[in-house]
Amino acid sequence: MTDHTTEHEVADFDAFFAEHAEPRFGAVLRLYRREYVLPTSLPLLFTLQMERVKDSDNPDDIRRLLSSLFGPAALDEWAEHGMTDRQLGVVLVWAAANAREPGCLSMRAAAELYDEREAEREGDEGKAPRPTPATIRAASGKQS
């Protein structure tokens, strides 16, 4: 058996990523008297789960998606405080944008963006649409 490490250079991504480390924490949001610190880029788990459940309205899918950004109990805590579907959507639009570039989107702009996208999605029927991973992905600027 041949020892590959002596014949070929090892691609050491541990060392490479350590040399090019990005700050791990960025924008902070306060919601229901609790502060959440966003990562400086969307976690891989968030991105993968968003693809898997992109059109789901299942609360368990949304809960798993949110846990990678806000912790496993966030959705239940927010629901206990009476958060509406629209409020959740606005928070997610804001968080997805500000995780990548803190300060790039205000809360008011996030609300307007959410409302515009939901109006387009619902065909201006005036319904109060529910945020889905697809809505979140659209707000983050990620293309499917």
Side-chain angles (χ1 to χ4, degrees), residues 63-140:
R63 186 177 291 107
R64 279 189 294 275
L65 181 68
L66 291 177
S67 70
S68 63
L69 285 181
F70 301 107
L75 185 62
D76 294 324
E77 290 174 14
W78 298 349
E80 287 174 15
H81 282 91
M83 180 178 263
T84 66
D85 291 343
R86 180 179 179 274
Q87 289 171 332
L88 175 60
V90 172
V91 167
L92 296 178
V93 167
W94 184 92
N98 284 284
R100 293 176 185 214
E101 187 180 339
C104 73
L105 187 69
S106 70
M107 290 179 277
R108 182 176 308 282
E112 290 170 1
L113 185 58
Y114 175 81
D115 290 342
E116 287 170 12
R117 290 182 176 168
E118 288 303 303
E120 288 173 12
R121 182 174 161 252
E122 294 295 324
D124 275 331
E125 294 178 25
K127 293 182 188 176
R130 298 169 56 150
T132 67
T135 306
I136 300 163
R137 183 178 50 261
S140 72

